[in-house]
Amino acid sequence: MSLLDKSLFFSAFGNLLEAGFPPIRALSEGMPLPYRGTSRKIIQHIENGSPLWEAMKKCRFSKLEVALTRAGETAGTLPLTCRMLHEYYEECRSLRMKYIIAMIYPMVLYHFSIFIGWLVRSIVSSNAGLTRNEILLLILPWACILG
């Protein structure tokens, strides 16, 4: 799941819990599309007697999400815990976007310098083709950032 999906899930779940919905009803209403199937599985586990955190553990939730949900469920602060997870994932998304934006200028300079090197080499040696190493130098940085 993307960070946006996780953020939306915990935001919706926390808001419904704050509004007084019981967890099973909160999971069955207003969940983001990628989590609807997961919500149904969690509801089934809860109806079979598992606590919420254990049901989330059996589904595709991270250890952090399960541990915080367990703590929030035990302490009676589950809506607050969901809000904190929502804010955490929003911050992760924000930092990822800042990182990508910060890398654009160096990547443009990097590719411009390769182009200038290719241009100079093609003028001097009249060989305009790119070598395999030059193609890898163009692709590798983008694979590291986006991968």
Side-chain angles (χ1 to χ4, degrees):
M1 289 295 130
S2 70
L3 294 175
L4 177 61
D5 292 336
K6 289 182 177 198
S7 173
L8 291 175
F9 172 81
F10 285 107
S11 175
F13 188 50
N15 288 338
L16 290 171
L17 290 173
E18 269 186 307
F21 284 70
I24 291 177
R25 187 165 176 214
L27 285 166
S28 64
E29 296 184 21
M31 287 296 116
L33 186 60
Y35 275 98
R36 288 190 184 148
T38 305
S39 296
R40 283 189 221 110
K41 290 178 188 174
I42 293 172
I43 291 169
Q44 288 174 351
H45 290 298
I46 292 173
E47 288 173 344
N48 290 335
S50 297
L52 176 63
W53 67 269
E54 195 173 300
M56 290 174 71
K57 186 177 183 179
K58 292 175 184 175
C59 295
R60 55 184 176 189
F61 287 88
S62 69
K63 290 180 180 181
L64 172 70
E65 295 162 345
V66 171
L68 287 176
T69 302
R70 183 178 188 178
E73 195 174 14
T74 304
T77 58
L78 195 54
L80 176 63
T81 303
C82 289
R83 189 175 327 118
M84 288 171 42
L85 282 166
H86 161 70
E87 291 171 1
Y88 168 74
Y89 287 119
E90 283 296 315
E91 185 67 26
C92 287
R93 282 184 58 232
S94 172
L95 288 174
R96 178 178 280 174
M97 290 306 298
K98 286 179 184 176
Y99 172 73
I100 289 171
I101 290 170
M103 289 302 296
I104 289 174
Y105 180 69
M107 292 299 289
V108 168
L109 288 179
Y110 174 81
H111 283 82
F112 182 72
S113 67
I114 289 176
F115 172 73
I116 294 298
W118 170 78
L119 185 64
V120 168
R121 190 187 80 194
S122 67
I123 290 172
V124 171
S125 70
S126 70
N127 181 7
L130 289 175
T131 66
R132 186 176 15 199
N133 289 340
E134 290 170 328
I135 292 171
L136 284 174
L137 284 174
L138 288 170
I139 295 172
L140 186 63
W142 288 106
C144 291
I145 288 175
L146 300 176

